[in-house]
Amino acid sequence: MAGMAFRYSFIACSTLVALKIIPFATTTPLELAPTDVGSGQLASRAFGLPPPRLPDDSSEVTASPDDVAAMDTAGGDTQAAEKPLRYLILPTSRSSKEDTDKVYTDLVSKAKDTHPLFSKSDDVLGVIFWTALLVPSDADQLKRDHPILTSVAEDKAIRLEGFRDYSVIIEKRNLHRKRDEPKTIVKQPNPPDQLKVVSQPTKDNKVSDLKNFAYREEAGRGVTVYIVDEGANKVHSEWTNQPGTKRWFFPGDPNDPRYTIDRTENDRARDSYGSCVYSMAVGPRFGIAKNSDVVILKHASFNPEDSDDEDEEDTVESATLDGMAIILADVKEFKLQNKTVVNLSFGVTNALQVASREKFQDLVKELLANDVVVVTASGNERVRNPTLP
């Protein structure tokens, strides 16, 4: 992918799927709360007139209509001079419906949007976020009036190449589960070296001496793999010959004027990075979990205004959170607990504001609570991060 420091995390991800470490779900389905709430409206405000000006001798005069118009334009109303910005509003996870309803009502009265507010919710976490077009003074007031809000900050653009060297800190879990013995082992002759490594019998066997990739016949059948990237090439043989079901999602606010969400089912990257990730995860030739079902999340992006490089891309914080919220809702709706892997082709970095990172962490923890395996990048730069467990 152009500009993004991706990692081959999908190898580990797909290994779990192919070896059937993840058993089928037996959990009770969870009922989802609505994911989109409310609608935005233009706030109506009265423009106050400034007091008439007095000359040096303090004799009283009356301001002319032209004087009033000039003074009003010059800042008689503070909000008239403020430029609305796209804000990301983050409530504390698991806030009560009463509290979030109060925030929503206030947001509707303040938002400059002419379309419904963009929001995502979860049955456990509650409202995950809102985005809204606000003037700064209203944003500040919103934060002061509602203690449940951890952040009311501009929905920042994030340079995709900046996604590096930060991981979500979560409690350690034991993912090693006793597996049933495979009924049938399939051998793929003359595989690429990365597949040989996955089925390498012992450390004493040299990869160069191995002739086959050995894997269970199921090869991920019945398991769903979510791939968050720039799409995939639907006309390539790695796609057309893969037997699993395939679905697409396009995270991000469709009404955000800063970018247009590319809802085309293709690979946007010139270097076909999304197709490469897909192929190495589930492709019949290069993949490990060859029979898995696949969900592609094609992340929102746009060419930054300060760059002439058409391959340089930005995304926004809300789209990053939206992608994780979409996965969580989909897992619960289709009862995919205990048989799902999420592959993030990027690391979550300090480019995200602190509150957004914490919200991202909440989403990851909720996925883990639903027995979803989440695999993300460990980094290409060999930089040790002392905050990691």
Side-chain angles (χ1 to χ4, degrees):
M1 171 184 292
M4 180 179 285
F6 279 104
R7 289 86 174 159
Y8 288 88
S9 59
F10 42 80
I11 294 180
C13 164
S14 304
T15 302
L16 293 170
V17 181
L19 298 182
K20 299 293 284 186
I21 291 176
I22 310 168
F24 280 64
T26 57
T27 55
T28 303
L30 300 175
E31 182 178 352
L32 278 178
T35 57
D36 294 306
V37 295
S39 61
Q41 64 182 31
L42 292 176
S44 60
R45 310 184 190 282
F47 288 81
L49 296 178
R53 294 174 297 175
L54 298 178
D56 293 338
D57 62 1
S58 298
S59 59
E60 186 173 352
V61 297
T62 302
S64 69
D66 290 339
D67 288 335
V68 171
M71 287 186 286
D72 189 57
T73 303
D77 188 308
T78 302
Q79 289 197 349
E82 290 187 284
K83 179 182 178 181
L85 301 172
R86 181 67 52 181
Y87 278 85
L88 175 61
I89 301 98
L90 301 175
T92 304
S93 292
R94 298 175 175 83
S95 294
S96 69
K97 185 177 185 301
E98 179 182 3
D99 286 340
T100 54
D101 283 349
K102 289 179 181 178
V103 175
Y104 168 70
T105 301
D106 201 0
L107 263 178
V108 169
S109 70
K110 289 179 168 61
K112 305 301 182 183
D113 299 78
T114 57
H115 54 77
L117 297 179
F118 187 58
S119 176
K120 281 294 167 64
S121 301
D122 174 68
D123 58 337
V124 174
L125 298 179
V127 175
I128 299 170
F129 69 85
W130 295 276
T131 64
L133 195 64
L134 302 170
V135 294
S137 59
D138 275 346
D140 293 341
Q141 188 64 48
L142 188 75
K143 181 69 168 64
R144 288 193 296 269
D145 291 345
H146 301 281
I148 69 164
L149 296 181
T150 61
S151 177
V152 180
E154 187 177 355
D155 190 8
K156 292 197 315 178
I158 305 170
R159 188 61 46 84
L160 292 182
E161 66 181 4
F163 274 58
R164 63 186 66 184
D165 299 329
Y166 183 90
S167 295
V168 174
I169 300 175
I170 57 175
E171 62 274 12
K172 295 181 179 179
R173 299 198 312 159
N174 181 12
L175 296 178
H176 298 283
R177 303 177 182 176
K178 183 176 177 57
R179 295 176 287 121
D180 57 318
E181 292 298 323
K183 296 180 179 179
T184 305
I185 293 293
V186 178
K187 293 183 178 180
Q188 177 182 331
N190 302 316
D193 286 346
Q194 69 265 21
L195 291 184
K196 294 180 183 179
V197 171
V198 172
S199 64
Q200 188 175 3
T202 69
K203 64 180 180 180
D204 297 325
N205 296 101
K206 293 182 179 180
V207 172
S208 58
D209 294 337
L210 300 177
K211 305 300 181 184
N212 302 294
F213 165 50
Y215 60 94
R216 299 166 65 101
E217 182 184 31
E218 298 90 339
R221 186 178 296 113
V223 174
T224 299
V225 178
Y226 293 84
I227 299 177
V228 184
D229 210 290
E230 285 199 305
N233 184 351
K234 293 177 61 176
V235 299
H236 195 282
S237 59
E238 285 288 271
W239 177 280
T240 58
N241 294 333
Q242 204 273 346
T245 62
K246 303 173 184 69
R247 296 183 291 134
W248 292 70
F249 285 109
F250 305 93
D253 183 355
N255 295 302
D256 192 328
R258 291 174 295 176
Y259 60 85
T260 300
I261 296 179
D262 181 2
R263 298 182 181 275
T264 307
E265 295 182 359
N266 62 10
D267 191 339
R268 181 174 58 241
R270 283 188 172 187
D271 58 5
S272 301
Y273 202 98
S275 299
C276 178
V277 173
Y278 166 89
S279 173
M280 297 186 74
V282 301
R285 174 72 177 92
F286 297 98
I288 298 174
K290 302 177 186 295
N291 295 323
S292 297
D293 298 326
V294 181
V295 181
I296 303 293
L297 280 85
K298 187 175 181 181
H299 64 70
S301 66
F302 58 97
N303 188 250
E305 296 178 357
D306 59 352
S307 174
D308 295 327
D309 183 358
E310 63 181 18
D311 284 340
E312 191 171 23
E313 295 179 330
D314 282 1
T315 189
V316 289
E317 295 197 29
S318 60
T320 304
L321 296 177
D322 187 33
M324 298 299 288
I326 286 172
I327 294 172
L328 180 58
D330 199 61
V331 166
K332 293 181 176 182
E333 179 180 357
F334 290 99
K335 305 176 183 63
L336 300 176
Q337 296 91 339
N338 214 16
K339 51 182 178 180
T340 297
V341 176
V342 175
N343 182 81
L344 305 174
S345 297
F346 52 83
V348 182
T349 75
N350 292 313
L352 293 176
Q353 298 175 84
V354 172
S356 295
R357 294 203 304 268
E358 292 173 349
K359 184 65 70 172
F360 191 99
Q361 183 170 325
D362 288 344
L363 288 162
V364 171
K365 288 182 176 180
E366 183 62 16
L367 285 168
L368 295 177
N370 282 271
D371 281 324
V372 173
V373 175
V374 180
V375 182
T376 189
S378 60
N380 287 339
E381 292 76 19
R382 297 185 180 182
V383 176
R384 182 175 179 82
N385 191 329
T387 64
L388 300 183

